[in-house]
Amino acid sequence: ISVAFWLSHYAAVLLRDSKRLKSAYDVTDENPLGAGAISGTSFPIDRKLTTKLLGFQKVHPHSLDATSSRDFMWETIFGAATISGTLSRLAEELILFSSYEYQTVSLDDGFAMGSSMMPQKKNPGSVELIRGRAARM
């Protein structure tokens, strides 16, 4: 396969991952004000007005669900973990393709690090950091 085809694969995956995060954002962008502890509030509040004033997209439709749901956290965590997995895979492949055995990719000096034992060698330090940080998610 060509390099362009391989890179377009990651573009497609990252677009899908970003849609997941957008979906998680949309789920959390609901105004819970007025839900009370469980069954709403007796105060005469205008939930549509408070939604607009607080910058929410819409009013949360059910007070018990607004106070007891936790799935919005799972969606956000899953979206972030998925993007981390994608970036880790991309970084691993860039490390592999820039190795001596493959020599398919050459990183610019701004993204590579020199070796302390072999100054002529370029290590893919930036993508190694991405791979390592992605594992923390």
Side-chain angles (χ1 to χ4, degrees):
I1 64 173
S2 69
V3 172
F5 186 71
W6 171 73
L7 281 175
S8 68
H9 154 258
Y10 279 105
V13 173
L14 287 169
L15 283 172
R16 186 175 60 245
D17 291 349
S18 66
K19 285 180 189 175
R20 245 184 228 110
L21 278 182
K22 172 72 170 95
S23 173
Y25 176 80
D26 290 342
V27 168
T28 59
D29 197 17
E30 296 179 349
N31 182 11
L33 189 65
I38 291 179
S39 60
T41 181
S42 58
F43 292 113
I45 64 169
D46 183 348
R47 294 188 73 205
K48 289 182 180 174
L49 176 62
T50 60
T51 297
K52 182 179 177 189
L53 292 173
L54 293 172
F56 284 101
Q57 204 175 71
K58 57 188 171 184
V59 175
H60 200 293
H62 197 277
S63 62
L64 181 58
D65 185 41
T67 59
S68 66
S69 67
R70 303 294 180 261
D71 57 334
F72 65 91
M73 291 185 286
W74 291 115
E75 288 186 45
T76 305
I77 291 168
F78 177 72
T82 303
I83 285 180
S84 289
T86 301
L87 292 176
S88 177
R89 249 178 46 211
L90 173 61
E92 178 62 35
E93 290 179 7
L94 285 172
I95 292 167
L96 180 68
F97 295 156
S98 67
S99 69
Y100 177 77
E101 293 79 15
Y102 281 78
Q103 295 181 0
T104 307
V105 173
S106 177
L107 294 177
D108 185 75
D109 289 344
F111 297 100
M113 303 164 119
S115 171
S116 59
M117 300 215 27
M118 298 183 297
Q120 77 283 4
K121 184 178 178 218
K122 286 179 16 176
N123 291 326
S126 57
V127 286
E128 287 175 349
L129 289 172
I130 291 170
R131 182 183 61 176
R133 297 289 190 265
R136 292 182 180 181
M137 179 42 99

